[in-house]
Amino acid sequence: MKSRIAIGEQLTSCLVLLLLTVVFTGCGGPSAPPPSESQKSEIAQKSVEAFIASAKKKPKSAAQELSVLMESLDAYASEYEGPYIELRDSAKELLSLYQSSAAKDKIQAQLDVLKQKAAALSSASS
C-alpha cells in the first residue's frame, strides 16, 4: 500500500514537471502565446503549496521531493528572475535545513517563509 502511495506521489511530481515543461517550452508551435505573469505565478505557487502539504504529511520524504521542486524553481529563477529568485533561495535554505537534520521548528519556520514567498508571487504579477 505504501509503495502505491509513493508511486502516486512520484507520478504527481512527474506530471507537475511535465506541465511546467509544456508551459515553458511553448509546446503547440509558434502560435502558442508565452505564459502570462499570472499563469507563471499560479503554477509556481501551486507547486510550492503541493510540496508544503506533502512535507507536512511525510517529513521523511520532504528533502527528496524538495530536490525535484528545486529543478523547477531554478528554471523559474533563471528565466523570470525577480521574486522567483527569492522563492528559489528560500527553497535552497529549506533544503539545507533538511540536509543538516535541523530542528522541526526551524524547518516549520522556513516552510512558512517559502509559503509566504510563493503567495507573494500572485501579488507581484497583478
Side-chain angles (χ1 to χ4, degrees):
M1 180 71 180
K2 288 184 179 180
S3 65
R4 286 184 182 175
I5 293 171
I7 291 171
E9 289 174 354
Q10 290 175 345
L11 182 58
T12 301
S13 295
C14 288
L15 289 174
V16 167
L17 287 175
L18 178 63
L19 176 63
L20 290 172
T21 303
V22 169
V23 168
F24 292 117
T25 58
C27 187
S31 63
S36 69
E37 283 298 316
S38 62
Q39 289 172 322
K40 291 184 283 191
S41 64
E42 182 179 340
I43 291 170
Q45 189 174 2
K46 286 185 179 185
S47 297
V48 169
E49 288 172 356
F51 162 75
I52 291 172
S54 177
K56 288 181 179 182
K57 288 180 187 174
K58 298 180 182 141
K60 291 186 181 197
S61 63
Q64 182 179 2
E65 290 181 36
L66 182 55
S67 294
V68 173
L69 178 63
M70 285 297 301
E71 292 178 24
S72 297
L73 297 179
D74 279 335
Y76 271 89
S78 62
E79 180 77 18
Y80 304 114
E81 300 176 342
Y84 297 101
I85 293 173
E86 293 177 28
L87 182 65
R88 181 207 51 206
D89 292 348
S90 296
K92 279 184 182 179
E93 176 65 26
L94 179 60
L95 185 57
S96 81
L97 289 173
Y98 279 124
Q99 291 170 340
S100 67
S101 300
K104 283 184 179 182
D105 61 331
K106 287 186 177 185
I107 290 174
Q108 182 58 50
Q110 191 61 30
L111 281 168
D112 292 341
V113 168
L114 186 63
K115 186 174 184 175
Q116 290 170 357
K117 297 287 184 188
L121 292 175
S122 59
S123 62
S125 67
S126 297

